[in-house]
Amino acid sequence: MKKIILTTAFAAMVTLSCQDKTKEKLDEATDAVTEEVTTTIDSAKMKMEAKLDTMKDRANSRIDSVKLKSADRLEQAAKKLKQTVKK
């Protein structure tokens, strides 16, 4: 009877101590995955911000180019109007 009680008590202790180690490992793994996901998200965010800045710069330069062309064409049209009016 003593052997059965001692064996049961020992098995219970081993099971409880294993659960604590498993829980610690799970917590460590969860923390590691959380940190990796956060790092990946931050990296992707930085890359997208850089691409957006590049696209904004390109768009602004194209807009400036269109403004200059429009201004040139308006000046040419104004010159033609002046010449037509003089005649």
Side-chain angles (χ1 to χ4, degrees):
M1 189 70 169
K2 282 184 180 180
K3 288 183 181 180
I4 293 173
I5 294 174
L6 288 174
T7 304
T8 306
F10 180 73
M13 274 191 348
V14 169
T15 303
L16 290 175
S17 67
C18 288
Q19 286 178 350
D20 292 338
K21 289 179 184 177
T22 302
K23 186 175 180 180
E24 288 175 12
K25 287 181 181 179
L26 283 174
D27 290 341
E28 290 174 7
T30 302
D31 292 341
V33 169
T34 302
E35 185 176 333
E36 186 174 335
V37 168
T38 303
T39 303
T40 303
I41 289 171
D42 290 343
S43 175
K45 183 180 176 183
M46 289 173 58
K47 288 178 183 177
M48 289 306 298
E49 287 175 350
K51 285 184 180 182
L52 281 173
D53 289 341
T54 302
M55 291 173 69
K56 285 179 185 177
D57 290 342
R58 286 182 184 169
N60 286 335
S61 68
R62 287 182 181 168
I63 289 170
D64 291 342
S65 175
V66 168
K67 285 180 182 178
L68 289 174
K69 287 179 183 178
S70 298
D72 288 341
R73 288 187 181 167
L74 281 174
E75 285 180 22
Q76 290 174 359
K79 285 180 184 178
K80 285 182 182 178
L81 274 174
K82 284 182 184 179
Q83 289 175 358
T84 306
V85 170
K86 286 182 181 179
K87 290 182 182 180

